[in-house]
Amino acid sequence: MVTEKLYYQDQYLGRFTARVLKSETDKASKHFVVLDQTAFYPTGGGQPHDIGTLNGLEVYNVEEIDGEIRHYISEPIKVKSECVGKINWERRMDHMQQHAGQHILSAAFEEEFGYETVSFHMGKELCTIDLSIESLTEQEANEAEKVANIIIIENRPIETRWVKKDDLNKYKLRKEVAVNDNIRLVIIPDFDYNGCGGTHPKATGQVGSIEILHWEKQKNFIRVFFVCGRRVRTQLHEKHQVIQNLTVLLSSPQEELEKEAKRVLDQSKALEKEIADLKQQLNTYEAESLITKAEAKHSYKLIKELYVDRAFAELQSLAKNITSRSDEIIVLLINETGDTLQFVCARGKNISISMNQVLKEVLPIINGKGGGNDLIAQGGGEKVITADDLMKLLVDVISLKLE
Ligand SMILES: [Zn+2]
């Protein structure tokens, strides 16, 4: 069941009539029809399928399967009926621009630098080509983009030619052609010769322009992101919008944005450092104040404090700060947050007791977890007893060990 491929006779055909040769459902119970002729391009050669309508019914997918072009539609159309097909032209023209643009950009990289394109992907918003190289410089990308845009401005013809395998050696092809018969060459004279089954405009000028956006290193190649035609304006519009918003946010004109953003970031870093320094000072002040009101026991001094919703890291740092200032001190700090209790216990270096040991004896009572060493240990668990009772327990364990 061979369908006449109208998109190869006239790539600008947006409306056509055809007869339904076959109307079936596939394995996934989706309706499709096969026509005697079609202008719907099926997915292939890196180019996504067309969409549009058949007799007003939405054609949402077009695939070439087992030699037949299947038009997937929401409802069946009877065999032998005449139908009118309409292609979503905006989408097709976009595909033609991206596809032809890719030929031109790949050829530019190869002509200028000998960089070979190994694959092409046309995404919804961006296109990519993969170049079989290890690295790409800004200068090379700029140069390839410049050459590609010159080819576009020169508005060179884009020709297609059906050739036999034996005739291929007459053309300077970029790549070996994958098929043996029905070979279709897409030719930009004196610039590019390629085997390709996709749709392209008649001349390079219709690509509009090519813009390389960025590139990234992959395992064995460099992936170049680019856009052509209408997508260049879309990108420009989006980027312009971002810049506009930034000029308002930073109260700075476009040419000063980078400098201003850097200044704000530097300022924020300086402030962060200042806050950290101030916190440290505050911590020291708090440590000294607690030391002065430490309770004197016969062989050591004891600091015990209860807190609510205090950042635990702060308490750990406070405990360290205190024990670094006094060798004969024991610090017990408990924090209560919601249904949890956290505590840190630490000692000065002249007291012989393992704080980790103290922690281990108390943790099971609050179903807690934690750890540490002889000098400092911390943990947390459930508030099954009050913070006050937990403190009493800690004090008792320590008294038993030291008195
Ligand atoms: Zn092509």
Side-chain angles (χ1 to χ4, degrees):
M1 209 166 291
V2 179
T3 305
E4 187 78 29
K5 294 171 174 173
L6 299 175
Y7 48 83
Y8 282 156
Q9 292 165 20
D10 177 5
Q11 68 270 51
Y12 296 98
L13 191 65
R15 188 181 180 283
F16 66 100
T17 55
R19 188 172 291 277
V20 178
L21 299 180
K22 185 173 173 182
S23 182
E24 285 185 10
T25 52
D26 69 3
K27 284 175 197 154
S29 306
K30 299 217 155 94
H31 300 292
F32 71 87
V33 291
V34 178
L35 307 173
D36 64 343
Q37 55 178 5
T38 188
F40 279 95
Y41 182 80
T43 306
Q47 186 177 329
H49 62 83
D50 286 334
I51 56 172
T53 58
L54 270 179
N55 280 357
L57 294 173
E58 191 196 339
V59 176
Y60 61 88
N61 189 12
V62 187
E63 301 291 330
E64 191 163 7
I65 295 167
D66 300 331
E68 62 184 22
I69 297 174
R70 296 181 174 180
H71 302 72
Y72 285 89
I73 42 178
S74 46
E75 287 170 46
I77 305 177
K78 277 188 191 145
V79 174
K80 287 185 185 165
S81 52
E82 282 280 337
C83 54
V84 176
K86 283 182 191 159
I87 309 294
N88 177 323
W89 195 249
E90 200 176 312
R91 177 175 158 106
R92 161 66 83 74
M93 191 60 204
D94 173 59
H95 290 168
M96 299 213 296
Q97 285 182 318
Q98 310 312 314
H99 199 152
Q102 180 263 316
H103 282 260
I104 297 168
L105 187 62
S106 286
F109 271 117
E110 194 153 346
E111 287 300 301
E112 293 304 302
F113 307 107
Y115 296 165
E116 195 194 336
T117 296
V118 288
S119 65
F120 162 51
H121 175 72
M122 195 191 296
K124 266 205 167 111
E125 283 163 17
L126 308 182
C127 303
T128 60
I129 49 172
D130 294 340
L131 299 174
S132 62
I133 48 172
E134 294 285 311
S135 65
L136 179 68
T137 67
E138 186 93 34
Q139 204 186 356
E140 289 168 334
N142 284 343
E143 183 64 20
E145 186 188 80
K146 191 175 121 192
V147 169
N149 280 297
I150 290 171
I151 297 290
I152 289 172
I153 288 167
E154 286 175 356
N155 200 22
R156 299 196 190 187
I158 302 177
E159 298 163 2
T160 53
R161 204 168 295 169
W162 294 93
V163 295
K164 295 207 170 68
K165 184 131 185 134
D166 296 343
D167 296 330
L168 284 179
N169 52 16
K170 290 181 193 156
Y171 304 94
K172 205 181 127 202
L173 293 181
R174 297 251 168 245
K175 254 196 215 171
E176 235 178 272
V177 186
V179 287
N180 283 320
D181 35 49
N182 290 332
I183 301 169
R184 183 171 180 263
L185 293 186
V186 175
I187 298 166
I188 302 169
D190 301 323
F191 185 63
D192 191 41
Y193 301 83
N194 251 305
C196 180
T199 56
H200 316 78
K202 273 185 177 156
T204 58
Q206 286 188 16
V207 174
S209 64
I210 292 182
E211 183 76 18
I212 292 177
L213 300 169
H214 57 273
W215 55 94
E216 57 190 33
K217 178 141 178 54
Q218 302 275 347
K219 210 172 168 197
N220 298 315
F221 51 83
I222 295 288
R223 177 160 291 170
V224 179
F225 292 78
F226 68 97
V227 285
C228 305
R230 197 171 45 92
R231 295 189 188 195
V232 174
R233 289 205 317 280
T234 308
Q235 282 291 322
L236 182 64
H237 183 79
E238 280 174 11
K239 289 180 195 321
H240 183 68
Q241 199 60 52
V242 170
I243 288 172
Q244 277 302 106
N245 293 345
L246 285 176
T247 58
V248 174
L249 274 176
L250 293 169
S251 310
S252 192
Q254 181 175 322
E255 55 278 14
E256 298 285 327
L257 274 185
E258 218 176 314
K259 211 170 101 191
E260 183 59 15
K262 195 177 172 306
R263 193 190 65 76
V264 171
L265 286 174
D266 286 348
Q267 192 183 44
S268 152
K269 266 185 215 150
L271 284 174
E272 271 169 30
K273 189 176 177 305
E274 206 174 317
I275 289 171
D277 289 349
L278 285 171
K279 271 191 176 169
Q280 191 55 39
Q281 276 178 39
L282 200 61
N283 197 285
T284 300
Y285 176 80
E286 198 176 359
E288 279 165 356
S289 144
L290 285 174
I291 289 170
T292 59
K293 59 176 201 177
E295 203 181 313
K297 301 281 182 179
H298 85 274
S299 64
Y300 61 96
K301 285 183 284 177
L302 179 67
I303 292 175
K304 49 186 176 70
E305 289 293 322
L306 303 179
Y307 301 90
V308 176
D309 290 337
R310 183 97 190 242
F312 195 53
E314 256 176 50
L315 293 188
Q316 285 170 279
S317 140
L318 182 61
K320 276 185 204 157
N321 207 334
I322 292 169
T323 52
S324 73
R325 277 157 211 280
S326 174
D327 297 337
E328 279 85 27
I329 209 155
I330 286 182
V331 192
L332 302 172
L333 307 177
I334 298 178
N335 179 51
E336 187 181 331
T337 298
D339 295 331
T340 64
L341 288 175
Q342 297 165 305
F343 65 97
V344 52
C345 40
R347 66 155 168 91
K349 64 179 177 195
N350 291 349
I351 300 171
S352 51
I353 182 173
S354 165
M355 297 324 275
N356 200 33
Q357 202 60 48
V358 173
L359 177 96
K360 290 271 150 63
E361 284 180 37
V362 174
L363 270 182
I365 296 161
I366 58 166
N367 303 317
K369 279 187 206 159
N373 54 39
D374 286 349
L375 287 169
I376 184 165
Q378 55 274 310
E382 299 161 16
K383 205 170 82 184
V384 286
I385 55 172
T386 63
D388 219 24
D389 287 344
L390 177 62
M391 186 60 87
K392 278 184 195 133
L393 273 170
L394 284 166
V395 172
D396 286 350
V397 170
I398 287 165
S399 313
L400 270 175
K401 287 183 189 291
L402 287 177
E403 287 170 18

